[in-house]
Amino acid sequence: MAPPQGQMRPGRQLAVLGFIFVVLYLLVFFAGASGSWKDRLEPKLGLDLIGGTRVTLEATNSVDGKPPTAENLEEAREIIESRVNAFGVAEAEVVTEGNRNIVISLPGENRNLDDVGEAAELRFRKVLKAASGSGVAEAPPAATPAPSGSAAPTGSATPTGAATPTGSASPKVTSSPSGGQGGMAPASPSATPTPSASATASPSAAAPSASAEPVPANVEQQRKVVEQKVGAAAWQAANGLQAPADLTADPSLAEKLKPFGTLSPQEVAVLPAQMQFNVPTISCAQLDQRPPASISDPKQQVVSCEDGASKYLLDQAKVEGTDVSDADAVLDQTNAWVVSLDFTGDGQGKWTSLTREAFNNEGQACDATALGQDGKCRVAVVLDNKIVSSPEIQGVLTGNSQITGTFTQKDASTLAGQLRYGALPVTFEQQEAQNVTATLGASHLRAGLLAAGIGMLLVIIYAFFYYRLLGSVIFLSLILSALLVFGALVVLGRQIGFTLTLAGIAGMIVSLGVAADSFVIYFERLKDEIREGRSPRSAVPRAWIRARRTIISANAITLLSAVVLYVVSVGTVKGFAFALGLATVLDLVVVFLFRHPIMTMFARTRAFLSPRVSGLGRALPARNQPTQPRNPRAKEA
């Protein structure tokens, strides 16, 4: 049975709908909006409508030069797609081409895709030695760390045994002495200044010689090519160094090592780590520009630079990026952007062991040049070929940590995204980047909108002809749905990067068919109720109760189809599914908050009782003539 007519208060539903419109368009005009009023009303358009950027990445392999396996290439494509989608739901297309290439297409102007193909391999390595990375033929000065702030960890970071630093209730991790550009800190640090201390170079703690390092045969061949380029005398002199050379004390040695300063970054990459570190004429500029993944082997000692000035010899990677479970860009207590790292269960144990080794200077001992300002070893956070930060370890850390530095929000978000989505199984080099025009898509858009406009006009004309007064309900509902969809497109494009494409427009047009079906279901159910002998006022709520289930079922099936299609599809098909689902949900909002309330209000008017005005036609009984319901049970109901 339908509820009594007095219980229906259509004004409340209409007020809720009005509130939704006010909030939505306040977001459209003021939430993250800039520019003129016209600019604020423009949704983001896709590659096929406004053009965009297309980048081709070619897979390379610094070891054997062979193309990657199909599995590795597909894994790389999925990771790159995740990184690109970090820009938002932007209708990005990431596809493989041949057995080496991955092609990225992203709509919009000024898109920077330089970072999405980077390996982003994170390694935590203890600093064994430090030297100047200027590449000039002079003796490297003794490392004198500059004063920098220290960070006290949370309660989860506790020292071990009698090694607790004096004057502090809990251990702390300081930022690196190379200008304080970055550091590793516990999750909630508090800064306290510490005095600086000078350190002198000591070549006695030499690492194992480079000759003992196992290398692939083709890398050995490349080294022989470099040896021929620099000359036998230079190669022999460099290979015999056990510590950074003092070129001022031996001018002849400076002349011998001079050819190393002319090597390309690719040639420097194949040199042994000891040679890269001990030859002063090899600069940080050469080391920083080495091909991606040049120091990716976690079992080898490597050389890397920080800030382009300090050259470090680093130990094996005891903690890797796979040991990090999550990474997020957050603001710390000083309102600076940092990257917060959460370790896995096994990773947390490895991190604790590494900080214990560095704190007690165990294992491969760190040289005096690598000590921090408080005389403790440092751990370098290495991303690909460069050092992000090299904090001094002043206690055994058992909790999660942060990568600190002079990050902007964009820098921190980019770094967190690279670490969160994982390292690529292969390395890539950008081969081609081009801008894509949208002339074809624009012409198709005009033709599609024209066809949609003509079709909608015919639907409205037919609705007024067949349903008359009820046709106005159809017309107003479609207008409200269109306004809701348009406002949602603008807000979603601004907040999550949703981009409208031709496929998305097609999805919205398809949703109109579902909306039209709901009108037919409701109005025809209303006619059936009146034919059974009920008055229009009582027929409206009864027709709504019986039609509501069918309307919800039809929209639910469409929405479920859109969700499944969105999950299993990629590219523009995903945009079609998203637009179809969005329009379907908003149609349900209009059905419940406008269509039924407005029909309840119409049922109370005198015009609704007129067959010529209401459009109910023969369904309305003649005045002063009793009617018999078709179904005898209907009268009892």
Side-chain angles (χ1 to χ4, degrees), residues 229-278:
K229 181 176 180 179
V230 299
W235 184 268
Q236 184 177 3
N239 202 35
L241 295 175
Q242 297 299 316
D246 184 357
L247 301 183
T248 57
D250 189 352
S252 62
L253 181 60
E255 189 64 25
K256 289 181 181 179
L257 299 180
K258 187 175 181 181
F260 285 94
T262 63
L263 296 179
S264 67
Q266 291 77 10
E267 293 169 333
V268 170
V270 301
L271 298 178
Q274 290 291 322
M275 190 177 293
Q276 294 178 21
F277 179 76
N278 292 330

Side-chain angles (χ1 to χ4, degrees), residues 390-478:
S390 57
E392 179 183 6
I393 304 300
Q394 291 188 328
V396 181
L397 300 181
T398 59
N400 297 328
S401 302
Q402 293 175 339
I403 299 177
T404 64
T406 55
F407 292 132
T408 63
Q409 181 180 4
K410 180 180 178 181
D411 295 335
S413 299
T414 299
L415 175 57
Q418 289 174 328
L419 302 180
R420 183 168 57 249
Y421 295 123
L424 299 178
V426 291
T427 58
F428 290 90
E429 290 183 0
Q430 182 173 306
Q431 298 297 319
E432 182 182 20
Q434 59 180 345
N435 293 324
V436 181
T437 60
T439 54
L440 181 61
S443 63
H444 285 181
L445 175 63
R446 287 192 294 269
L449 292 179
L450 179 60
I454 295 175
M456 288 298 299
L457 180 61
L458 293 176
V459 169
I460 292 173
I461 292 175
Y462 179 79
F464 276 106
F465 174 77
Y466 189 77
Y467 290 112
R468 300 183 186 178
L469 178 63
L470 299 183
S472 62
V473 178
I474 299 176
F475 175 74
L476 291 175
S477 296
L478 293 178

Side-chain angles (χ1 to χ4, degrees), residues 130-144 200-201 241 243-251 253-255 257 277-282 309 311 369:
S132 171
S134 61
V136 296
E138 60 184 15
T144 305
T200 57
L241 295 175
D246 184 357
L247 301 183
T248 57
D250 189 352
L253 181 60
E255 189 64 25
L257 299 180
F277 179 76
N278 292 330
V279 177
T281 53
I282 296 178
K311 184 163 57 173
T369 58

Side-chain angles (χ1 to χ4, degrees), residues 150 152 159 162-172 192-194 374 394:
S150 64
T164 307
T166 59
S168 175
S170 60
K172 53 186 177 179
T192 56
T194 58
D374 289 337
Q394 291 188 328

Side-chain angles (χ1 to χ4, degrees), residues 78-392:
E78 293 176 356
I79 294 174
I80 291 177
E81 184 177 33
S82 299
R83 294 178 182 178
V84 172
N85 286 338
F87 291 113
V89 186
E91 301 301 333
E93 289 187 358
V94 182
V95 297
T96 57
E97 186 179 83
N99 62 352
R100 282 185 178 272
N101 295 340
I102 291 181
V103 180
I104 308 168
S105 300
L106 195 64
E109 299 178 353
N110 300 323
R111 291 291 194 180
N112 185 6
L113 299 178
D114 295 338
D115 297 333
V116 297
E118 291 186 355
E121 293 178 319
L122 183 67
R123 302 283 189 266
F124 295 84
R125 299 175 181 267
K126 186 168 66 173
V127 181
L128 300 179
K129 293 182 180 182
S132 171
S134 61
V136 296
E138 60 184 15
T144 305
S148 60
S150 64
T154 59
S156 61
T158 57
T160 58
T164 307
T166 59
S168 175
S170 60
K172 53 186 177 179
V173 181
T174 63
S175 55
S176 64
S178 58
Q181 294 301 312
M184 177 68 69
S188 301
S190 60
T192 56
T194 58
S196 62
S198 60
T200 57
S202 176
S204 58
S209 63
S211 60
E213 176 186 345
V215 293
N218 66 321
V219 175
E220 186 64 36
Q221 293 173 359
Q222 296 178 46
R223 288 181 179 176
K224 291 181 179 179
V225 173
V226 176
E227 180 180 355
Q228 294 176 358
K229 181 176 180 179
V230 299
W235 184 268
Q236 184 177 3
N239 202 35
L241 295 175
Q242 297 299 316
D246 184 357
L247 301 183
T248 57
D250 189 352
S252 62
L253 181 60
E255 189 64 25
K256 289 181 181 179
L257 299 180
K258 187 175 181 181
F260 285 94
T262 63
L263 296 179
S264 67
Q266 291 77 10
E267 293 169 333
V268 170
V270 301
L271 298 178
Q274 290 291 322
M275 190 177 293
Q276 294 178 21
F277 179 76
N278 292 330
V279 177
T281 53
I282 296 178
S283 66
C284 280
Q286 295 168 292
L287 295 172
D288 288 344
Q289 296 175 11
R290 287 171 295 181
S294 294
I295 59 173
S296 60
D297 190 349
K299 297 181 180 180
Q300 297 293 336
Q301 294 183 0
V302 299
V303 176
S304 186
C305 289
E306 184 176 19
D307 304 326
S310 300
K311 184 163 57 173
Y312 297 150
L313 176 64
L314 306 176
D315 197 9
Q316 300 178 6
K318 302 296 180 62
V319 181
E320 303 182 39
T322 54
D323 297 318
V324 177
S325 63
D326 195 14
D328 293 294
V330 297
L331 287 170
D332 65 4
Q333 293 180 346
T334 62
N335 209 32
W337 284 102
V338 299
V339 178
S340 176
L341 298 179
D342 295 333
F343 292 95
T344 63
D346 293 340
Q348 186 61 66
K350 294 178 183 179
W351 172 240
T352 301
S353 298
L354 178 59
T355 56
R356 179 181 294 111
E357 177 183 332
F359 178 70
N360 297 321
N361 199 4
E362 298 172 345
Q364 181 67 44
C366 57
D367 189 78
T369 58
L371 298 178
Q373 58 190 14
D374 289 337
K376 300 298 180 181
C377 296
R378 290 180 288 147
V379 171
V381 183
V382 186
L383 184 67
D384 295 331
N385 294 336
K386 298 181 181 179
I387 296 176
V388 177
S389 61
S390 57
E392 179 183 6

